[in-house]
């Protein structure tokens, strides 16, 4: 057994918290409309960040894809799934860059992931809507692409504001976990896999 696996087994709360955040993100996607949350308010980027920082394993990048796939199977898949799933995969990969952050740097990295992830998701998925709806929803030219982006601006605003609030809170939560570990004399998990 690798040293990393031993650390995760002896400090089971790290993967447990990451799994709980992923499960919460799935549940939130399933009940978002019923509780009156605005479209594109999401916890998926928070799940990606929590998994990357707490587990610190390269496979943590799969967390947002797992949230999207599981919840889409229940909600019903859409024709844009290729674009949404690949967008979440890229956000998961970007979250890996935050693994070795600490202190205020982690909070800043979380905010950066929130902004960058929101913009990436907006640009990629609205491009996908335009590609798949050319001639149906939007004109086939650049004017149709611009119209797709303009139509998506309210969704970008919600996602961006949500991520700018939620990700720093999650970052603070991960810092609290580390502070509690230090106060109890537990050794830090290796930085990256």
């Amino acid at each position: 057994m690798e040293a990393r696996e031993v650390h995760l087994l002896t400090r089971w709360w790290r993967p447990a918290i990451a799994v709980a955040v992923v499960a919460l993100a799935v549940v939130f996607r399933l009940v978002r409309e019923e509780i009156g949350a605005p479209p594109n308010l999401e916890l998926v980027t928070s799940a990606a960040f929590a998994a990357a920082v707490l587990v610190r394993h390269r496979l943590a990048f799969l967390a947002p894809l797992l949230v999207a796939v599981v919840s889409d199977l229940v909600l019903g898949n859409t024709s844009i799934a290729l674009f949404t799933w690949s967008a979440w995969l890229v956000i998961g990969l970007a979250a890996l860059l935050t693994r070795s952050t600490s202190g205020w740097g982690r909070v800043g990295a979380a905010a950066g992931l929130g902004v960058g992830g929101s913009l990436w998701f907006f640009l990629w998925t609205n491009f996908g809507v335009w590609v798949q709806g050319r001639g149906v929803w939007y004109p086939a030219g650049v004017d149709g692409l611009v119209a797709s982006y303009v139509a998506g601006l309210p969704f970008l605003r919600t996602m961006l504001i949500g991520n700018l609030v939620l990700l720093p809170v999650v970052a603070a939560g991960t810092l609290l976990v580390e502070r509690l570990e230090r106060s109890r004399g537990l050794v830090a998990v290796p930085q990256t896999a």
Side-chain angles (χ1 to χ4, degrees):
M1 196 177 272
E2 288 184 26
R4 174 171 324 300
E5 292 169 353
V6 171
H7 282 294
L8 290 176
L9 290 175
T10 59
R11 293 177 4 159
W12 56 268
W13 53 89
R14 281 179 168 255
I17 293 169
V19 167
V21 174
V22 166
L24 179 63
V26 169
V27 170
F28 185 78
R29 283 194 85 206
L30 297 176
V31 302
R32 186 190 51 74
E33 287 183 32
E34 286 79 16
I35 63 173
N40 267 36
L41 180 63
E42 52 86 14
L43 302 178
V44 185
T45 308
S46 295
F49 181 83
V53 170
L54 290 173
V55 179
R56 295 187 181 179
H57 191 278
R58 65 182 163 266
L59 291 178
F61 82 95
L62 294 172
L65 182 62
L66 179 66
V67 172
V69 170
V70 170
S71 56
D72 281 352
L73 289 175
V74 175
L75 293 171
N77 203 350
T78 67
S79 62
I80 191 103
L82 173 65
F83 287 91
T84 56
W85 291 4
S86 60
W88 290 125
L89 196 57
V90 169
I91 290 170
L93 288 168
L96 291 180
L97 300 173
T98 66
R99 290 185 289 182
S100 62
T101 59
S102 62
W104 286 106
R106 180 172 300 160
V107 176
L113 180 64
V115 170
S118 298
L119 291 173
W120 161 250
F121 191 87
F122 166 76
L123 292 171
W124 183 241
T125 58
N126 280 284
F127 173 76
V129 168
W130 173 74
V131 164
Q132 294 182 339
R134 284 179 298 180
V136 178
W137 298 317
Y138 299 104
V142 174
D143 54 336
L145 180 59
V146 170
S148 176
Y149 285 129
V150 169
L153 285 174
F155 300 102
L156 170 63
R157 181 186 63 233
T158 302
M159 187 176 197
L160 186 59
I161 292 169
N163 280 338
L164 283 173
V165 171
L166 295 171
L167 274 130
V169 169
V170 171
T174 63
L175 291 169
L176 179 61
V177 167
E178 290 175 355
R179 175 177 260 182
L180 290 170
E181 289 171 346
R182 280 192 306 275
S183 73
R184 288 170 175 65
L186 300 171
V187 179
V189 170
Q191 292 296 317
T192 58

